[in-house]
Amino acid sequence: MPDAIVVGAGPNGLVAANLLVDAGWSVEVLEAQAKPGGAVRHDRGVHPDYVSDMFSAFYPLAAASPVLSKLDLPAHGLRWSHAPHVVAHPLPDGRCALLDRDRGVTADSLDAFAAGDGDVWRDLCAVWDGVRDDLLQALFTPFPPVRAGLRLAGRLRASGGLRLARRMILPVRRFGEEEFAGEGGRVLLAGNALHADLAPETAGSGGFGWLMAMLGQTYGFPVPVGGSGELTAALVRRFVTRGGVLRCGERVEEIVVRGGHAVGVRTAGDAVPARKAVLAAVAAPSLYRDLIAREHVPARILADLRRFQWDFATFKVDWALSGRVPWTSPEAAGAGTVHLADGVDELTRFAAQIAMKKVPDRPFVLVGQMTTADPGRSPAGTESAWAYTHVPHRVTGDAGDDGLTGRWDEGDGEVLADRVEAQIERHAPGFRSLIRARRVLTPRTLQAMDENLHDGAINGGTTNMHQQLVFRPLPGTGRPETAIAGLYLASASAHPGGGVHGAAGANAARAAVHAGGPSARPEEHTSE
């Protein structure tokens, strides 16, 4: 009988499992899919000569995460690679906002839009320098982050106090308008905010866009050499060499509860007891609605789940290209990530169409150039590329003229893929002529490949303020403990939310060890 069972072998589940074995616990990880990784996997399914990241691809949060850094994954084979530039946002008039790990390059890019905006960028970077370490500790530790929070409060006072706090809760449109005279800085922040489901007019989107931009400025948007699954492989190697057991193709059908305690799980053909804890690296609605018998779930939780909000649904296309993308903007050619929208107004229009349950007619497209970031992903002179955009969970109509229904059958998928390609073609004439093969991943396909990605929702629930901190995933404490003793939520549905940083899994492991009487404790990743 293991001390702990971890349900799900995505990054949060594997981080939790690693920390538990570090504490001297015996641990089994059960994964429904045939391979581990969750949304951190790659394959050669588009073309045998091309490595394609199936879900996530760039990992600034992993590079910044104090949780992952303490696991020393490079010692287990993980290597990082960077594109020459981090993010490019070309505009139709030929100008391009550029995020580069060299602050001077970023600042010069923004000065080309409006003289003086480069100095504004340097000032924003200086604020980041003053709060970075304590801010990251506060973000990636259990809520409330008492000691890290106190240190951060002191840093905030030194960096402008209430003025900085106000800036962090601003909508990104207002943030950009207050700080930058030109469009470059504004689209750079707004595009980064829409890596989550934060529209330009949403409270807090300014702080999130600034955070993502500062992460890119400091750490870049690195990729694992060889494919995203190499990050998973390093986590698995570390876990297994420490005595952990990973069982793939083992779908957990029920978390067994007796006397108010989680005592194990039940799979299709087996009952697996756990001596101390069960950690569920699954989306919160799946945990409470599907894996726990209704009589064990408090009525208030079931009531709150009716108000749970997913982040945007996702639609993705992968390509094997015979050459590099022919961007009209030279800066975009060297960027790992390219944002395509004709300014902040178009981002607002895009988000508004999703809010109205319409498939956007001119989607905001995020393009990943993986061979540019990691040259081994495809043959020399070619590009392994992808793009994703967002759509509503429930579609009531098409803002375009193609009659998209939201059934996401083959017809819908091919039409929206063509629409995505048309957006790229506007900025890179001749793009379509380079396509050797493509793979269309609709919201339904993404969910079938990873059940935690409900309609392709990649953050385990909305990033909006009403479902963060003490409201994540439901109004409560913002902590991984659940209403059932010995059961911990270890997925992106828990604080601090989406992104590959491992904090949700680490928080759950830490809570389990403190409650379960370890022979040793996981190395602290906070000074709580």
Side-chain angles (χ1 to χ4, degrees):
M1 178 191 301
D3 291 321
I5 295 167
V6 177
V7 182
N12 278 307
L14 290 173
V15 166
N18 270 281
L19 291 177
L20 290 173
V21 294
D22 287 354
W25 288 30
S26 56
V27 183
E28 289 191 16
V29 178
L30 305 183
E31 167 58 49
Q33 295 291 329
K35 294 182 179 180
V40 184
R41 288 183 280 162
H42 67 268
D43 69 1
R44 293 180 179 267
V46 180
H47 188 286
D49 295 336
Y50 292 69
V51 173
S52 299
D53 292 328
M54 299 163 69
F55 309 98
S56 59
F58 293 94
Y59 298 106
L61 287 165
S65 171
V67 173
L68 292 180
S69 68
K70 286 191 168 71
L71 295 180
D72 192 20
L73 295 181
H76 299 273
L78 177 65
R79 292 183 295 139
W80 293 111
S81 182
H82 291 266
H85 304 305
V86 181
V87 175
H89 194 133
L91 295 178
D93 61 8
R95 296 177 300 166
C96 183
L98 188 66
L99 179 62
D100 188 276
R101 286 184 290 162
D102 184 328
R103 293 181 183 184
V105 173
T106 307
D108 289 347
S109 163
L110 302 187
D111 272 332
F113 286 84
D117 277 2
D119 289 335
V120 172
W121 185 262
R122 290 185 178 91
D123 289 343
L124 291 173
C125 289
V127 172
W128 166 252
D129 291 341
V131 302
R132 179 184 67 187
D133 291 343
D134 291 325
L135 177 59
L136 293 177
Q137 285 288 345
L139 283 174
F140 293 142
T141 55
F143 192 85
V146 180
R147 294 184 183 176
L150 289 173
R151 290 196 305 270
L152 179 60
R155 296 283 189 183
L156 288 173
R157 283 195 294 272
S159 301
L162 289 177
R163 290 176 180 83
L164 178 58
R166 173 186 176 274
R167 182 185 283 164
M168 293 296 288
I169 65 172
L170 282 174
V172 74
R173 176 185 288 275
R174 182 63 188 173
F175 189 123
E177 289 172 349
E178 289 188 2
E179 300 296 332
F180 295 103
E183 185 75 356
R186 298 174 184 180
V187 295
L188 209 54
L189 294 179
N192 274 288
L194 268 167
H195 280 220
D197 59 333
L198 297 174
E201 286 70 40
T202 301
S205 59
F208 186 86
W210 173 75
L211 173 63
M212 288 298 296
M214 290 298 109
L215 289 171
Q217 179 70 86
T218 305
Y219 301 99
F221 281 14
V223 304
V225 172
S228 57
E230 292 302 318
L231 173 56
T232 295
L235 285 165
V236 169
R237 281 192 290 267
R238 188 185 189 280
F239 173 60
V240 172
T241 58
R242 283 164 167 74
V245 175
L246 171 62
R247 294 164 53 185
C248 291
E250 293 279 352
R251 179 182 300 279
V252 171
E253 297 186 344
E254 181 185 3
I255 293 172
V256 180
V257 179
R258 295 197 189 103
H261 287 70
V263 296
V265 303
R266 194 180 311 281
T267 66
D270 199 9
V272 186
R275 187 176 294 109
K276 295 181 179 180
V278 175
L279 284 72
V282 302
S286 296
L287 173 63
Y288 290 115
R289 288 175 176 158
D290 302 330
L291 295 182
I292 306 172
R294 184 63 57 94
E295 63 265 25
H296 300 305
V297 182
R300 60 179 173 77
I301 290 179
L302 294 174
D304 286 338
L305 278 173
R306 292 196 292 269
R307 297 177 176 85
F308 180 88
Q309 181 180 348
W310 292 102
D311 45 301
F312 291 157
T314 303
F315 179 93
K316 183 173 180 281
V317 189
D318 297 320
W319 296 281
L321 303 178
S322 61
R324 298 299 175 92
V325 181
W327 301 105
T328 55
S329 165
E331 297 92 340
T337 300
V338 182
H339 295 167
L340 299 180
D342 295 351
V344 177
D345 286 349
E346 183 154 294
L347 292 172
T348 294
R349 183 174 179 271
F350 165 78
Q353 288 175 340
I354 293 177
M356 293 186 292
K357 301 181 176 59
K358 309 293 184 184
V359 179
D361 56 345
R362 293 182 64 169
F364 169 51
V365 175
L366 295 93
V367 180
Q369 301 187 113
M370 303 316 299
T371 308
T372 297
D374 176 15
R377 299 292 184 96
S378 67
T382 69
E383 187 75 65
S384 175
W386 55 261
Y388 79 80
T389 189
H390 292 301
V391 293
H393 283 274
R394 186 170 71 87
V395 173
T396 61
D398 185 1
D401 299 324
D402 300 310
L404 289 170
T405 63
R407 289 192 300 266
W408 301 124
D409 54 16
E410 183 178 355
D412 267 10
E414 293 298 319
V415 167
L416 187 52
D418 290 344
R419 193 176 291 182
V420 167
E421 290 179 0
Q423 283 289 79
I424 299 174
E425 188 82 17
R426 291 175 58 234
H427 295 273
F431 167 78
R432 281 177 158 164
S433 68
L434 301 175
I435 298 173
R436 297 182 65 182
R438 82 175 182 185
R439 173 171 61 188
V440 177
L441 302 175
T442 70
R444 286 187 178 181
T445 310
L446 290 167
Q447 182 175 332
M449 296 165 71
D450 181 349
E451 292 178 40
N452 275 345
L453 304 180
H454 176 77
D455 284 344
I458 58 179
N459 285 314
T462 182
T463 310
N464 279 274
M465 293 175 67
H466 62 268
Q467 204 164 287
Q468 292 290 78
L469 303 176
V470 296
F471 307 115
R472 190 168 190 89
L474 307 170
T477 64
R479 296 185 61 83
E481 294 89 346
T482 69
I484 297 168
L487 175 63
Y488 303 89
L489 180 62
S491 71
S493 287
H495 173 77
V500 179
H501 43 68
N507 291 344
R510 189 165 179 259
V513 167
H514 276 270
S519 56
R521 291 193 174 182
E523 182 179 0
E524 297 288 340
H525 60 276
T526 117
S527 51
E528 283 277 283

